[in-house]
Amino acid sequence: MASSTEKTPSKVADHYVFPIALPSLPSLPISATHYLYLKPETPNNPTPESARSLPLVNVPIDSTATHFKHLFSTQIGLPVGRIRGVRFEGDQEEKTPTSSAPPTPEADQSKKSKKRKRGAQQEPIPDPSIYKLPPTWDRVTHRSGSTATIEFVDKASMRAALKAARAIADKGKTVTWGEGIEDELPPLGSERYLTHQNLTYPPKADLLVHVNDYMTAYNAHQEAETQALARKRQEPDEDGFVTVTRGARNAVRMEEAKERLEKQRENKKELGDFYRFQGREKRKEREAELLRKFEADKEKVRRMRERRENFQPE
């Protein structure tokens, strides 16, 4: 933190300095100045998202998306609603119930069946990993010096926010962090830990809902894997044989088995003579087989003649 006699630099290593005032607390009635570092994203392979994104360095440990939406709109004098989202360091993209849905055997068979009903669609199976236990913290804190990225609705909004922040810093003004939104955020301090203690032991009914959702998705995945394995076992092998398994639910139709067998034979023909030396070796093998059969037939004829010559009627 710079002293009152020193002037805060406006730029440090291609990052624009944006000072903000941290409010005093009852436990620490001292105001402090925190420095955010802003830099427009300039990746080697730019994307539409990177053009309207503004990376931040050294965000406060109690930062939330509400803080930055309020800071880069109302507090710096810009319209509200120009921020699309805020991504913090270490955030992971949340999965939706339909984001991970492997194809089921019924869906695969319905594509190939000629008697498929019109309008019938197989519902995707949700990924069990999206069903998690209830959170035990009502507010996430960040490590000191962490980063975040603000995504605006367009590039012009990002430029306007950066320009307004630079203008405030150049005038030597500071913006109070979280001023005006104190009642919109969960409290910190001892109340945060009391809330954590209560959330660690959720009501039995709420916990049962999460567990039932997870087990339902898990059982659906297990059933899909079992059916897929059963279908795989019933696929015809190289000789055209189909292993018969117990039960008729996963029985493979004879027409489908014949089609798969023909495809396997066609693939063998296509890949069999891929190289010239393979064709030469096959021709040599056929010639050797014909020669072996010819010699065997000659030996058979010779033995038949010997038996005829030595035949003596009684």
Side-chain angles (χ1 to χ4, degrees), residues 10 36 55 62 75 77 80 102 118 134 150 166 185 210 246 265:
S10 61
L36 279 174
D62 61 342
Q75 290 188 288
V80 180
R118 295 183 179 179
I150 302 177
R166 291 179 58 188
L185 300 172
H210 287 79
R246 185 177 180 181
R265 290 177 178 175

Side-chain angles (χ1 to χ4, degrees), residues 79-100:
V80 180
R82 307 305 295 173
I83 295 179
R84 187 173 183 179
V86 181
R87 299 188 306 273
F88 291 95
E89 179 182 348
D91 284 354
Q92 296 180 355
E93 295 184 359
E94 296 183 357
K95 298 181 181 179
T96 59
T98 57
S99 61
S100 176

Side-chain angles (χ1 to χ4, degrees), residues 115-179:
K115 297 181 181 180
R116 178 182 178 183
K117 296 181 181 180
R118 295 183 179 179
Q121 296 181 354
Q122 183 68 27
E123 295 183 0
I125 300 176
D127 187 358
S129 63
I130 66 174
Y131 297 105
K132 300 179 180 179
L133 294 175
T136 59
W137 294 98
D138 61 345
R139 183 171 175 179
V140 179
T141 57
H142 309 277
R143 67 176 182 83
S144 178
S146 59
T147 61
T149 302
I150 302 177
E151 183 179 351
F152 292 84
V153 294
D154 50 27
K155 187 176 180 180
S157 299
M158 186 274 292
R159 294 285 185 183
L162 180 61
K163 183 178 180 180
R166 291 179 58 188
I168 293 176
D170 291 340
K171 293 179 182 178
K173 299 180 179 180
T174 55
V175 178
T176 303
W177 177 250
E179 186 179 17

Side-chain angles (χ1 to χ4, degrees), residues 201-238:
Y201 304 97
K204 184 178 180 180
D206 297 344
L207 188 61
L208 188 61
V209 170
H210 287 79
V211 173
N212 288 339
D213 291 342
Y214 176 85
M215 293 306 301
T216 301
Y218 178 80
N219 292 334
H221 260 266
Q222 291 294 318
E223 181 67 19
E225 291 179 0
T226 302
Q227 294 178 2
L229 182 60
R231 289 177 57 83
K232 186 176 181 181
R233 289 177 178 174
Q234 293 176 353
E235 292 181 356
D237 55 14
E238 297 179 355

